[in-house]
Amino acid sequence: DGGITQSPKYLFRKEGQNVTLSCEQNLNHDAMYWYRQDPGQGLRLIYYSQIVNDFQKGDIAEGYSVSREKKESFPLTVTSAQKNPTAFYLCASSIPGMNTEAFFGQGTRLTVV
Amino acid sequence: QQQVKQSPQSLIVQKGGISIINCAYENTAFDYFPWYQQFPGKGPALLIAIRPDVSEKKEGRFTISFNKSAKQFSLHIMDSQPGDSATYFCAAAGDDYKLSFGAGTTVTVRA
């Protein structure tokens, strides 16, 4: 079945540590996105990539980094510079262009302990 | 600063009733307005979408109404069912293809 796979579903991180969230898609989509979801704030864009080896900052990129070495993969690293990393992280993909549906993964819930 | 403002934050409706969620935007460059449905612990999924060249779009029990001059759009859920209990997000995008989401509305349908 085609779709987006995020792993792990739950992740615990100690303060001061970097952690990487995985996102893989087999939809053959060129565009991929990372969103952060907090209660009452909707989804906020962290980073997005329209093509392999290229990505742009979204609205809240500070404290995060990404790479796009393969079309299928778009991992997100939450660095120790992110002051409030506890959140639900969602990866999405789409065909670049207007009016196209974004397909979301099941999300990773990150908790700093 | 949120580019799309959504209200209410939550609503409760009886089975068979109508749920109405409203969204407003400022950026006149937006020309794609989707609604996403999210169940607890899951990722959002596209429910219905509209472009500004039409004022209304209906798919089953779900209808989007769009008012371009007021820069507002709304989702109506007719004959609400317990299975419709979820969080609903409105969103908007322009020619940069990036979706800006509203804060979300949690809908609870009581049997």
Side-chain angles (χ1 to χ4, degrees):
Chain A
D1 288 334
I4 299 179
T5 301
Q6 289 188 242
S7 61
K9 189 175 177 68
Y10 299 97
L11 189 56
F12 297 89
R13 189 196 91 173
K14 293 183 179 180
E15 284 194 27
Q17 287 182 338
N18 293 353
V19 64
T20 297
L21 282 60
S22 171
C23 178
E24 303 278 334
Q25 56 100 356
N26 60 5
L27 299 168
N28 200 33
H29 287 168
D30 285 309
M32 297 188 74
Y33 311 82
W34 274 105
Y35 289 90
R36 169 178 171 144
Q37 184 174 11
D38 296 283
Q41 297 195 51
L43 281 68
R44 293 181 291 168
L45 183 63
I46 304 172
Y47 269 97
Y48 65 104
S49 169
Q50 304 269 10
I51 197 169
V52 174
N53 292 323
D54 188 45
F55 49 82
Q56 288 78 41
K57 293 181 179 180
D59 301 318
I60 56 166
E62 184 175 352
Y64 300 97
S65 65
V66 293
S67 63
R68 187 83 188 278
E69 297 176 359
K70 298 185 301 181
K71 186 176 184 177
E72 304 79 23
S73 178
F74 192 40
L76 173 74
T77 296
V78 184
T79 74
S80 57
Q82 170 49 236
K83 299 303 181 190
N84 185 21
T86 295
F88 190 51
Y89 291 87
L90 287 159
C91 178
S93 73
S94 71
I95 300 170
M98 298 167 62
N99 308 331
T100 60
E101 179 178 357
F103 292 83
F104 284 84
Q106 297 295 289
T108 292
R109 186 164 298 281
L110 173 64
T111 303
V112 173
V113 296
Chain B
Q1 183 177 356
Q2 217 146 27
Q3 296 196 60
V4 180
K5 298 190 187 305
Q6 183 173 347
S7 63
Q9 185 174 3
S10 63
L11 67 89
I12 300 173
V13 62
Q14 293 296 122
K15 180 181 176 181
I18 302 173
S19 303
I20 301 175
I21 306 170
N22 300 301
C23 288
Y25 65 98
E26 288 297 326
N27 188 346
T28 55
F30 287 153
D31 58 4
Y32 173 60
F33 302 90
W35 286 86
Y36 281 80
Q37 179 188 55
Q38 184 182 31
F39 294 104
K42 304 295 184 183
L46 180 66
L47 185 63
I48 186 173
I50 197 168
R51 294 183 61 185
D53 52 351
V54 297
S55 60
E56 186 175 281
K57 183 175 181 179
K58 183 177 180 179
E59 289 185 3
R61 296 183 293 105
F62 300 90
T63 299
I64 301 178
S65 297
F66 187 81
N67 186 330
K68 187 175 181 178
S69 61
K71 291 183 285 187
Q72 295 176 346
F73 57 110
S74 61
L75 177 70
H76 292 62
I77 306 174
M78 313 300 287
D79 187 25
S80 296
Q81 300 296 312
D84 297 333
S85 296
T87 299
Y88 293 82
F89 294 96
C90 61
D95 58 6
D96 61 357
Y97 317 142
K98 292 188 301 179
L99 286 169
S100 294
F101 285 86
T105 297
T106 300
V107 174
T108 303
V109 181
R110 298 224 189 276

